[in-house]
Amino acid sequence: MSRSLPLTADEVSRWGLSFRVDVERARDEFLASFPKPDQNNNQQYVKLLLQDIGITGQKEFDLWMKTNHLSIEDVHSLALRNHHRFCFCEHRFSHKMPSYFLERESELDQLSYFSASFQEEGLAHEYYFRINEGEVHFMELIDAPVKGVSSQVFDLAPVGSIPISVVKALKGALPTHVTPPLKSSDGWVILQLIDSKPALLDVNLRRRLLFELGSQFLLSHTSSLTSATSQQRRAS
């Protein structure tokens, strides 16, 4: 049986949503002080919203709407608020972008690589030499798996999302470089760099970083208010 909103403060607290609600309430307060964007461009705002949350196709969009029980009116409302947020972040934090990009740059560089895991050290060394000699290629290990060997290809991804041990092993490597067998938690691993790309502050990355700065500001602001409220309650 469904029940209409609004929720009570007790329900919000009991479900562990208090801080999330406080964050969104604070966000609305900041947005209320900033001019709303032109509502006639809603289709463009929807495209930007889907880009921001990583939805790229119609089927994926339909599934997202169904999973979240959204109407097209809900989507338009979310898209307008999302663009309102972006305009606020751009106005408030664009001056911080050069220094923030430099701070985050090393985590935003991208790597793609092959990985082959081995249960036995001897087998790892054998394949290390065979790969270096050109007798075997990583793709062959992926297409025709060998007993005791597990191989994968990892597409370009930000360094910040890649295990630090992999990043360290491939640091400064040239494409096709193969690492000697490295000890891992469950055996041995050989890595080969496929490609590396430095982070470029293009339109999409700039948008993402502005949202990050806005979220950091909002979380800090809300945490301070929550902490101050808790202290006042304890004092009383």
Side-chain angles (χ1 to χ4, degrees), residues 92-144:
R92 188 75 177 257
F93 306 112
S94 59
H95 68 284
K96 293 186 176 182
M97 185 54 57
S99 60
Y100 188 60
F101 174 67
L102 290 176
E103 177 187 329
R104 295 274 281 110
E105 186 176 10
S106 62
E107 298 177 349
L108 297 169
D109 292 341
Q110 295 186 313
L111 295 177
S112 60
Y113 62 97
F114 288 113
S115 172
S117 300
F118 303 84
Q119 297 174 358
E120 300 177 2
E121 182 180 5
L123 191 61
H125 281 281
E126 175 188 340
Y127 274 90
Y128 167 67
F129 288 113
R130 293 183 65 186
I131 291 171
N132 265 325
E133 292 296 322
E135 296 179 11
V136 178
H137 191 273
F138 274 93
M139 284 306 301
E140 295 175 1
L141 296 176
I142 294 172
D143 295 337

Side-chain angles (χ1 to χ4, degrees), residues 39-218:
Q39 298 189 34
N40 293 324
N41 293 325
N42 224 323
Q43 290 301 322
Q44 179 62 23
Y45 301 156
V46 169
K47 290 181 181 178
L48 290 170
L49 171 66
L50 299 184
Q51 172 187 300
D52 291 336
I53 61 180
I55 292 179
T56 58
Q58 185 64 43
K59 288 184 178 180
E60 198 174 357
F61 174 59
D62 292 341
L63 178 61
W64 172 70
M65 287 186 62
K66 182 178 180 180
T67 302
N68 292 281
H69 302 279
L70 299 173
S71 67
I72 193 63
E73 290 77 16
D74 293 330
V75 174
H76 286 164
S77 179
L78 286 169
L80 181 63
R81 187 169 186 258
N82 186 63
H83 190 65
H84 198 184
R85 284 177 56 201
F86 173 74
C87 293
F88 173 82
C89 291
E90 186 171 43
H91 174 78
R92 188 75 177 257
F93 306 112
S94 59
H95 68 284
K96 293 186 176 182
M97 185 54 57
S99 60
Y100 188 60
F101 174 67
L102 290 176
E103 177 187 329
R104 295 274 281 110
E105 186 176 10
S106 62
E107 298 177 349
L108 297 169
D109 292 341
Q110 295 186 313
L111 295 177
S112 60
Y113 62 97
F114 288 113
S115 172
S117 300
F118 303 84
Q119 297 174 358
E120 300 177 2
E121 182 180 5
L123 191 61
H125 281 281
E126 175 188 340
Y127 274 90
Y128 167 67
F129 288 113
R130 293 183 65 186
I131 291 171
N132 265 325
E133 292 296 322
E135 296 179 11
V136 178
H137 191 273
F138 274 93
M139 284 306 301
E140 295 175 1
L141 296 176
I142 294 172
D143 295 337
V146 176
K147 184 178 180 180
V149 184
S150 176
S151 301
Q152 290 179 272
V153 58
F154 292 87
D155 294 329
L156 279 170
V159 166
S161 67
I162 298 173
I164 188 63
S165 57
V166 173
V167 175
K168 287 182 177 179
L170 296 177
K171 185 176 182 180
L174 297 174
T176 73
H177 170 76
V178 180
T179 67
L182 305 168
K183 191 73 176 73
S184 66
S185 59
D186 55 358
W188 298 83
V189 63
I190 294 173
L191 305 169
Q192 183 180 50
L193 180 67
I194 300 173
D195 193 14
S196 62
K197 288 187 176 181
L200 297 176
L201 190 58
D202 59 12
V203 172
N204 292 335
L205 181 55
R206 183 176 183 277
R207 182 180 178 88
R208 173 185 157 192
L209 295 182
L210 282 170
F211 275 131
E212 282 187 13
L213 285 168
S215 294
Q216 291 172 12
F217 166 78
L218 194 63

Side-chain angles (χ1 to χ4, degrees), residues 3-18 21-22 25:
R3 195 198 69 176
S4 60
L5 297 177
L7 300 174
T8 67
D10 179 66
E11 287 173 325
V12 171
S13 177
R14 189 168 68 249
W15 297 339
L17 298 174
S18 295
V21 170
D22 287 344
R25 182 180 290 120

